[in-house]
Amino acid sequence: MSFPDISEAPAFLPEVFAHWSEVSAKELVQEVVEEGSAYSTVSGGCIPGASKIRDWFYERGHSLAVANGFMISVPHTHWDPSAPMVISQMGDHFKIGNQPLLKGGRYRPVSFAFRESGVYPYEWVDESVEIDEADYEEALAIISAIRETMIAANPKLGICLNFRFKKLFSEAVSATFESTDSGSEYEDAGTIRRSPEAAIVMDGYDFEIVQWHCISDKYSDLSDSAIDARNEIEALIYAERSPVERNRIINEVFASF
């Protein structure tokens, strides 16, 4: 399957973002979480269809490292819904937004929305972002193959490549945070940082989780009771805590591994 070129984005992005560009990230996530859930958790267990998407990777025989090369996402934009979002590597962080397209520049799609009519990119990386070419081509083949599963699982969800601060296909964990207002280093674009650094910069700001891992519980040796216990612990972490406090606890857990 071929994907529309970035030059075609103004023709299809308004349809992709027809509704999602009009609501906040918090309102956006509330439309996809299970009824009765007050928030989005880091595991995404409250996202209808997430387990079906994750199990697809396991049942297709993909390694844990490959599954970790993808994130379930909620396609949305903070900027012009008719203009493509471009991600650039800027030293120790990424810049994201409606950046001017350079003539002759190479832009590779990394985030995708799924429709009956096809798969539509909504975020691209420029040449400053390094992704192994063989891994990237394999990732595109997987994006094409998972289209029907994505639509059946939850048509409001998308998939993005998990390349930020890590090799695409690896088991490394790299939690990130995207700020688009006063927490950004740019007036007209957002900043993507590693979560520990972002927690300091964004202390006192509210935020919402809009991406979740693609790793099925089937990859682990955990029993059903252990999985239930893990979910209960996560619920305790999120209950009655501010976003910054939740982020601090999660980062401490990551640091312990």
Side-chain angles (χ1 to χ4, degrees), residues 52-96:
K52 185 173 184 177
I53 296 167
R54 291 164 175 167
D55 289 348
W56 182 92
F57 284 92
Y58 181 84
E59 292 163 0
R60 286 295 185 97
H62 293 299
S63 68
L64 189 150
V66 168
N68 194 42
F70 301 86
M71 297 287 283
I72 299 169
S73 65
V74 181
H76 66 287
T77 180
H78 299 278
W79 301 281
D80 181 354
S82 66
M85 288 183 283
V86 175
I87 302 172
S88 301
Q89 178 86 51
M90 309 293 286
D92 63 352
H93 66 274
F94 293 92
K95 177 181 180 181
I96 179 171

Side-chain angles (χ1 to χ4, degrees), residues 9-43:
F12 63 79
L13 282 181
E15 180 181 351
V16 170
F17 296 135
H19 168 64
W20 293 330
S21 63
E22 299 173 358
V23 299
S24 68
K26 185 176 290 293
E27 293 171 319
L28 185 68
V29 171
Q30 284 304 308
E31 293 189 5
V32 298
V33 299
E34 290 180 351
E35 185 177 353
S37 295
Y39 41 72
S40 162
T41 62
V42 69
S43 73

